[in-house]
Amino acid sequence: MEVLRILDVDGSLIGDSPVDLDEARRLFAAMVTARVYDRKGSALQRQGRLATYAQFEGQEAAQIGSVAALRPDDWLVGTYRDAAAMWMHGYPWEALLLGRMGDERGGAPPAGVNVLPPSITVGGHMIHAVGLGWAERMKGSDRIALTLFGDGATSEGDFHEAMNFAAVYSTPTVFVCQNNGWAISMSRGRQTASETIAQKADAYGMAGVLVDGNDIFAVLTAARTAVQRARAGEGPTLIEALTYRIGPHTTTDDAGRYRSDEDVDAWRKKDPIDRLRAHLRSAGGWDEAWEGAIEQSASTEIEAAVAQAEGLEPFPADAMFDRMYAKPPGSLEAQRRLQGDEPG
Amino acid sequence: MSELNLAQALNDALDVALAADDRVVLLGEDVGVTGGVFRVTDGLHERHGGRVIDTPVAESGIVGAAFGMAIAGLRPVAELQFLGFAYPAFDQIVSHVGRIRNRSNHRFTAPLVIRIPFGGGIGAAEHHSESSEAIFAHTPGIKVVAPATPADAKGLLLSAIADPDPVVFLEPIRVYRAIKEEVPAGHYTVPIGEARVVREGADVTLVSYGAMLRDAGRAADTLEADGVSVELIDLRTLSPMDHATIVGSARKTGRVVAVVESHRSASLASEIAAVVQEQALYSLLAPVERVTGWDTVVPLKRTEHHYIPSPARIVTAARRTLAG
């Protein structure tokens, strides 16, 4: 299968850019902002201020590029590694941080932000995107649903059920596999014997596209086509974005046990931000001060979100009983009273 | 008002719900043209067209897609063909359906109904006679309902569809066509979370639900013929369980027999016994008895009757409590 690439590794354009210079600068700023968040996330975890954190460095183009193809009212269903995509679609930094701090309010984006809280289980969420898009079509809306997942998720049975349902009912669903090479320590080669993940689309009877996932123009182009097809009632698409997770699986993982520094270094040379920066520079749309200002403003914005999240009082001891049902049943109210047995 | 069996009453409930609310959608394998393996959805496809959807045989997919639909504002009613086939969907139920309200702090909710035939007694194949309702009742964030009669089945299903939370709705296979009763026409509801006192008595309380309720009733007839006054309670909702009705009855009679078809260990009968000893110990005149299936795979047709509690076993257990 041919790999769709528009922006070469050196930043030169080898295809048609899907965006004008202003939009390219906006996408660059989004990727830089996301990276600032990601690095702060790791630092906060090391300081003990966040629970386990899943880095996405290296995958900014795959996430930002996919979501840039969506309309604000479309649905997004992602995973624990998709903070950049969720933020790009309106999920506030504060909520993302709260989730990692271990606070259920982190799962609640503001009204109108159609992003489900991140799925921690691998694979089960893809079928939710099928149901969401399907429901929108039944309601007469043209909203679509995009779901992000990793190469490891394609080993799960629910990958099959989601792809099969989407194709059989021609639901408006865009599947974006961020093939980042690893599912914790298990390489992509141990997840599937297929030459590509994108080719699996053939078996389900849907469109499949293989893109350079570190090329934001290629990802955006593929996603736009898929979104248009979905919105027009032409069915789902599977996009495989070839990328790499530069960091470990999470802050609890030691990636040095299973992969080589040479591998990581080789992928660093294909960095999505470096690539777009090179392009913008040659197009006269980049200077160091501008990037510095983006970083500065992102840092300020995220620090403010950290302060806001850390400043939020934890739930009182018995609040867990309030979230299980619309109205806690009597048996749960009885348990709430027993919870009072716990000293102060 | 007409005489309906339990399957027909459920069909009527679904028809009423589909007619009243465009958001109601039925999906599952064979629910459309065929009308479901137990014909519960018979004729609904013809009357409600695109909202009665035949799906591939994929339980996780059916429940997962219904979950997405519910979040997007529909009122899906998913059908799984047998409880023994529901385990592939259990991951969706326990990992996603039951958790979304909590995970999103009420921002997203999934008001879907998952209908599943349960229990044995019809000599079905392996996996077709499971009574593993306790694993669902053990799952936070969902409600678990198990009607025993046609009129309750209709009213409870309409309540389940209107409920703001996900409901696992267990239908007793053995009762589908076994009894008929007057079922009110049109829309009415039976509240979720409230047990029903089927008959009042003073000497011993039998607590049951689903298909076992009829056997408990037969046992009560036998006991009453011997002059024992039996109070019979139909739980109707397994989670949240109506503790007040059970405990109130235990305090009155001082003797409780929990009758369930499921495996004995960690069953709903265990829960009933625990609740009674916590809240009515000093009213008890005898230990709480459990009459249950066994911790074995449900046997096939020729020996299934050794597994499912018989009225005789219920009578024996009740007499043990009376002897004390």
Side-chain angles (χ1 to χ4, degrees), chain B residues 76-95:
Chain B
V77 181
E79 177 181 302
L80 304 178
Q81 293 188 326
F82 292 91
L83 191 48
F85 298 164
Y87 305 131
F90 187 62
D91 171 54
Q92 284 290 338
I93 295 169
V94 72
S95 302

Side-chain angles (χ1 to χ4, degrees), chain A residues 41-57:
Chain A
S42 298
L44 288 165
Q45 195 281 330
R46 280 194 295 274
Q47 294 162 20
R49 293 159 75 187
L50 295 188
T52 306
Y53 180 78
Q55 292 113 317
F56 54 77
E57 179 163 341

Side-chain angles (χ1 to χ4, degrees), chain A residues 148-165:
Chain A
L148 295 163
F149 50 94
D151 44 304
T154 67
S155 301
E156 293 276 359
D158 276 353
F159 168 78
H160 164 72
E161 298 195 19
M163 298 282 284
N164 194 46
F165 267 66

Side-chain angles (χ1 to χ4, degrees), chain B residues 207-227:
Chain B
V207 184
S208 193
Y209 55 87
M212 286 315 303
L213 187 77
R214 295 178 67 224
D215 300 288
R218 289 189 187 105
D221 290 342
T222 305
L223 290 161
E224 292 199 340
D226 285 353

Side-chain angles (χ1 to χ4, degrees), chain B residues 175-221:
Chain B
V175 187
Y176 269 138
R177 291 187 158 68
I179 48 171
K180 280 195 166 190
E181 70 176 357
E182 291 291 332
V183 173
H187 186 274
Y188 70 94
T189 57
V190 171
I192 290 175
E194 288 183 18
R196 176 174 68 107
V197 179
V198 180
R199 60 171 99 173
E200 293 193 24
D203 298 332
V204 60
T205 301
L206 305 183
V207 184
S208 193
Y209 55 87
M212 286 315 303
L213 187 77
R214 295 178 67 224
D215 300 288
R218 289 189 187 105
D221 290 342

Side-chain angles (χ1 to χ4, degrees), chain A residues 282-306:
Chain A
S282 68
W286 181 88
D287 63 67
E288 204 167 339
W290 175 62
E291 184 168 338
I294 295 166
E295 281 177 347
Q296 189 51 52
S297 124
S299 183
T300 307
E301 183 187 325
I302 293 157
E303 287 298 341
V306 172

